[in-house]
Amino acid sequence: LNLCHMFCLYPYCIFFFTIRRPPRSPLSSSSAASDVYKRQNVNNVNNQLTVTFLEFHLRVLLSMADEGHGTPAQRAQWSHMLANLPEQPTVVANVSYNNCSASQKPKVPCRPCRWLYNGTDDGCEHRLETTFAGCRGAGPSEPGSNPVETSAIYPGSISIGMASDDLTLQRARSTIVYLDAWGQGNAFSQIFAAAGRVFNGSEVVPSLGGGDHLLRLFERAINTSMGSGNLWHKQFGGGVETAGTLGYVCEVLLQSHEGFLRLFPGMPPGEPASFAGLRAMGGFVVNASTEPQTPNSFSNLEVYSTAGQNCTAMSEAPVKVFSSSGREQAVVRAHVKRETRLWTWQTTPGAWYHVVPQ
């Protein structure tokens, strides 16, 4: 199933599996249970798209509850459901890295097999690593195929990012490297944005076509499908996949899904960039710029608050925050997961704030 269609089709799936499902057996908790769900094929259990979709919506509901929506009982129910979701399904895949010799690459494509490397010396480095899977019990997809497995990273999950624990981050990265789907048409709107959440702009991302900074891989993918000098880009999937790639462009400039503003995470070192009017989770509108001397950080930051939530921004150096009236705001240091370079201040709905690194 193409991920671009997941959110449109999912309500019908919910209807089919909840409204029309057969009733559960009262013996479902006993060893003698004959419930249909006890006999279903293992590949239908804990489908990644289902788990990811539920996680996404539960986290959004909890975020809305933090803003005063819903009742305490609903919040408790949503928290309980999120805490008891099954883990994302995983599989051990044979991941190939791009240190193949140039003389061997044209002769033998550097592709792993489904489960274990077949022993042929193609000059590549192969590692058995845990990656996300489409569902429990399923083998990994073929490299270069539609990267449904990355839905656990983007767009479904709002919990996986560069501040994640080592195990989660490694699984996410291994999934990206294994799939190596930079040129796959349906992948175009997903693979780059997913990679942008777990690889920062200063890193070289392994690729069978030659590793590079992620932004350079993105440019390479676009350049290979451009028309004859007229700036026309091939429209994968009737244009939906092409337009969806704007999601990656936004991820390069600003990320907020982890609960704080991460500025210019995807920009390679030494490259200037700026943006205006990007929205961030928490009800913020953000303008920012970065200079070569401030890699993966910011030289100027302006934040507009629509909801009056506390705002947290990542900065290597301490920051001072001023309201539009020039009044300095109280700033406290914060941490989210393992990220400690964070600075938080209170906001008022309808107010602008100027953030200055010290």
Side-chain angles (χ1 to χ4, degrees):
L1 180 66
N2 190 317
L3 189 63
C4 294
H5 307 140
M6 181 183 74
F7 291 96
C8 296
L9 296 179
Y10 203 88
Y12 300 98
C13 298
I14 290 292
F15 173 81
F16 182 81
F17 287 114
T18 60
I19 306 302
R20 300 191 58 188
R21 71 182 183 187
R24 288 187 178 276
S25 165
L27 302 177
S28 60
S29 59
S30 72
S31 59
S34 60
D35 186 41
V36 64
Y37 296 101
K38 296 287 185 180
R39 302 195 304 270
Q40 65 183 343
N41 186 292
V42 69
N43 286 348
N44 294 327
V45 179
N46 297 345
N47 179 282
Q48 188 205 67
L49 293 181
T50 301
V51 175
T52 298
F53 186 89
L54 290 174
E55 178 195 348
F56 176 87
H57 280 274
L58 287 170
R59 290 188 183 279
V60 170
L61 286 171
L62 288 171
S63 176
M64 293 173 62
D66 291 338
E67 298 176 6
H69 302 284
T71 66
Q74 287 176 318
R75 195 189 197 291
Q77 183 182 38
W78 297 332
S79 297
H80 176 77
M81 293 171 66
L82 181 62
N84 287 277
L85 281 180
E87 294 184 357
Q88 290 287 352
T90 59
V91 66
V92 175
N94 188 36
V95 184
S96 295
Y97 289 80
N98 62 310
N99 59 342
C100 312
S101 64
S103 60
Q104 291 173 313
K105 283 174 66 176
K107 299 178 183 178
V108 182
C110 183
R111 293 294 189 190
C113 61
R114 276 189 170 274
W115 287 95
L116 295 175
Y117 180 44
N118 61 15
T120 302
D121 182 11
D122 59 4
C124 302
E125 176 188 354
H126 297 269
R127 307 176 196 168
L128 290 179
E129 297 180 351
T130 301
T131 68
F132 293 121
C135 56
R136 196 178 78 189
S141 300
E142 291 288 352
S145 61
N146 200 345
V148 176
E149 292 87 341
T150 60
S151 62
I153 311 167
Y154 177 95
S157 177
I158 54 176
S159 62
I160 297 178
M162 284 177 266
S164 295
D165 62 88
D166 289 336
L167 178 62
T168 301
L169 191 59
Q170 182 57 51
R171 286 179 177 176
R173 290 179 171 219
S174 296
T175 302
I176 297 292
V177 175
Y178 171 77
L179 288 170
D180 196 54
W182 312 113
Q184 208 277 343
N186 285 334
F188 206 61
S189 61
Q190 184 178 348
I191 186 69
F192 287 99
R197 288 194 170 180
V198 294
F199 288 98
N200 66 52
S202 62
E203 295 180 274
V204 172
V205 180
S207 170
L208 301 179
D212 208 334
H213 298 296
L214 185 59
L215 191 58
R216 300 288 89 86
L217 293 179
F218 179 64
E219 293 170 348
R220 184 191 306 171
I222 291 178
N223 289 337
T224 57
S225 64
M226 293 292 280
S228 302
N230 60 356
L231 300 181
W232 176 81
H233 179 61
K234 183 168 62 176
Q235 300 296 301
F236 299 117
V240 175
E241 282 81 358
T242 307
T245 313
L246 290 173
Y248 166 65
V249 176
C250 294
E251 297 290 329
V252 169
L253 301 172
L254 172 67
Q255 296 179 15
S256 61
H257 65 284
E258 295 180 280
F260 59 90
L261 306 182
R262 189 188 291 271
L263 282 304
F264 305 103
M267 289 302 301
E271 296 190 20
S274 64
F275 65 85
L278 286 185
R279 290 188 174 270
M281 296 186 71
F284 302 110
V285 180
V286 183
N287 305 334
S289 60
T290 182
E291 302 297 336
Q293 63 270 23
T294 57
N296 302 118
S297 187
F298 60 90
S299 54
N300 183 67
L301 172 61
E302 297 174 335
V303 178
Y304 178 77
S305 175
T306 64
Q309 299 292 305
N310 287 351
C311 186
T312 301
M314 176 179 166
S315 174
E316 295 284 351
V319 301
K320 287 187 176 183
V321 179
F322 300 90
S323 66
S324 54
S325 64
R327 181 179 179 181
E328 185 172 355
Q329 308 297 299
V331 178
V332 296
R333 191 155 192 168
H335 73 275
V336 174
K337 299 179 182 178
R338 61 180 178 181
E339 185 55 69
T340 60
R341 300 166 294 175
L342 304 177
W343 311 92
T344 299
W345 67 96
Q346 293 182 338
T347 72
T348 300
W352 278 98
Y353 297 89
H354 186 208
V355 185
V356 182
Q358 301 302 294

